[in-house]
Amino acid sequence: MLPLPPIPPRPTSPTFPTLLHTLLTPACPVLPPPRILSPSLTGPIAALQLHPTLEAALHILNGDLPAAHFLVRHMQAEPAVEGMFLHGILHRVEGDYENARAWYGNVSSSEVFASAWPGDSGLDDARDFIAKIETLRKGDRSQRDLIDEEALEKLSRREIEAVVRFCEGKFGVGRVGDAREVWVQPSPEHREMGSKMVIGGRGGGLFRGGEGEGRGRGGGGGGRGRIRGWWLLCFWLVADTVGSLIVSLLPRRFFSYIYFTDRGTRRLIISSDRRLFHKVISGHGDMIA
C-alpha cells in the first residue's frame, strides 16, 4: 500500500506588517489611482479586523478608495481625529483638493497631524504639499515641469506612514470585532460638511437632497406617504425574490467585487459567499460598491 502524500500546509493569511510592507513598497499615492493596486489584497485587509483607522490606511495605500471612504465616514468628528485626518488624505489622493485642505485644517492642532507635519509651519507645509500635487495634476506643462514628483512621493510616504505608526502605537494591531465601538456621531457642522464630501464629488448627495425635498413638501402628503409605503413593501418583496434568482445565476467570480456591511457589527465584509450577498439583496446588509 502506497503511503499517502503529505498534506500541504494551509496558506497563512497575511499579517498587518506584511501587508503594510507590501503596500508601501510601490510609490505612495500622489495622483488619483486609475484602479485598485491589488484587488486580491482587499479581502485580507478587511479580514484582519484592525482598528478602522489602520484598515482605512491600508485601503488607501491599495488604491481602494470606496472601502477606505466607508470606514472614515464613520469617524468624521472628534475625538476620532485620526479618522478625520485619513479622511483628508483620502480626498487628497482622489484629487478633491478643496475638501482635503478643509479636513487638514480641522485636525491641524492634533497629535496625529503633528506626527506627519511637525513644527509651527506644519499646516502651511501640508497645504503647500497639496497645492503642488494639484498643480501636477491640473497645471499646464510649464507648471508641471517645475514640480518634483519624486519629492512629492516621498512626502506622501512620510505622511501616511507617520499616521499609520501613530495609530499603531495608539490602538494596536489587535482585532476590533465590533467596529461600532469606534464610530462617532458627527456634529451638525461635520454632517453638513460630510454631505458635500462624498467620494467622487457628488455621489450620495442625490439621496440627501431627496430626503430634504420630501420633508419640505410636508403638508397634505399623508395619503401619498401611505401609498409610497405600499409601493416600498411590494418593491422589497419583488427584490427579495428576484435577488434570490440573480444570486443563483451569477458566476461565483462576480461576488469577489461585492462590498457590504453587516448591520449587526457594521464591519466591512468582502466575500464571495452567495448567502452573504443575498443579505444585501434582501435588505439585511448595505451594499457600498
Side-chain angles (χ1 to χ4, degrees), residues 96-114:
D96 187 355
Y97 305 113
E98 181 180 353
N99 283 332
R101 280 186 280 263
W103 282 110
Y104 277 51
N106 285 341
V107 300
S108 59
S109 61
S110 65
E111 291 183 30
V112 63
F113 186 84

Side-chain angles (χ1 to χ4, degrees), residues 41-55:
L41 291 182
T42 299
I45 290 171
L48 288 176
Q49 295 191 0
L50 297 163
H51 189 278
T53 54
L54 292 170
E55 186 175 336

Side-chain angles (χ1 to χ4, degrees), residues 235-288:
F235 175 78
W236 181 86
L237 292 173
V238 172
D240 189 43
T241 303
V242 174
S244 299
L245 179 62
I246 291 173
V247 170
S248 65
L249 295 177
L250 286 172
R252 183 177 180 84
R253 64 178 179 274
F254 172 81
F255 297 93
S256 63
Y257 299 98
I258 295 299
Y259 298 74
F260 68 96
T261 66
D262 184 89
R263 289 188 177 174
T265 63
R266 310 306 303 178
R267 290 299 310 186
L268 177 66
I269 299 175
I270 298 98
S271 177
S272 59
D273 192 321
R274 295 172 186 268
R275 292 169 300 176
L276 290 177
F277 176 65
H278 184 251
K279 291 176 70 178
V280 178
I281 296 294
S282 61
H284 296 292
D286 303 320
M287 187 160 65
I288 64 168

Side-chain angles (χ1 to χ4, degrees), residues 5 16 19 24 29 34 38 45 55 59 80 82 115 121 156 159 166 194 198 221 239 253 264 278-279:
F16 170 73
L19 285 171
L24 280 174
S38 180
I45 290 171
E55 186 175 336
H59 285 309
E82 297 82 13
S115 71
S121 62
S156 179
E159 178 187 59
F166 182 93
V198 180
R253 64 178 179 274
H278 184 251
K279 291 176 70 178

Side-chain angles (χ1 to χ4, degrees), residues 85-158:
F85 190 14
L86 284 166
H87 205 149
I89 293 174
L90 169 64
H91 282 300
R92 190 261 292 169
V93 171
E94 71 167 342
D96 187 355
Y97 305 113
E98 181 180 353
N99 283 332
R101 280 186 280 263
W103 282 110
Y104 277 51
N106 285 341
V107 300
S108 59
S109 61
S110 65
E111 291 183 30
V112 63
F113 186 84
S115 71
W117 298 100
D120 295 336
S121 62
L123 181 57
D124 292 334
D125 294 340
R127 286 174 171 167
D128 181 65
F129 170 59
I130 295 172
K132 288 179 179 177
I133 295 176
E134 188 171 14
T135 300
L136 181 65
R137 185 184 181 205
K138 299 180 179 180
D140 57 39
R141 184 170 183 176
S142 62
Q143 293 174 317
R144 295 197 302 270
D145 288 342
L146 299 175
I147 301 298
D148 186 346
E149 187 171 356
E150 185 177 347
L152 294 181
E153 289 177 356
K154 290 180 179 178
L155 285 173
S156 179
R157 176 187 296 273
R158 189 195 75 180

Side-chain angles (χ1 to χ4, degrees), residues 195 204-219 228:
S195 69
L206 174 63
F207 299 99
R208 294 185 180 88
E211 291 172 0
E213 186 179 2
R215 288 193 296 268
R217 289 176 180 172
R228 189 180 301 114

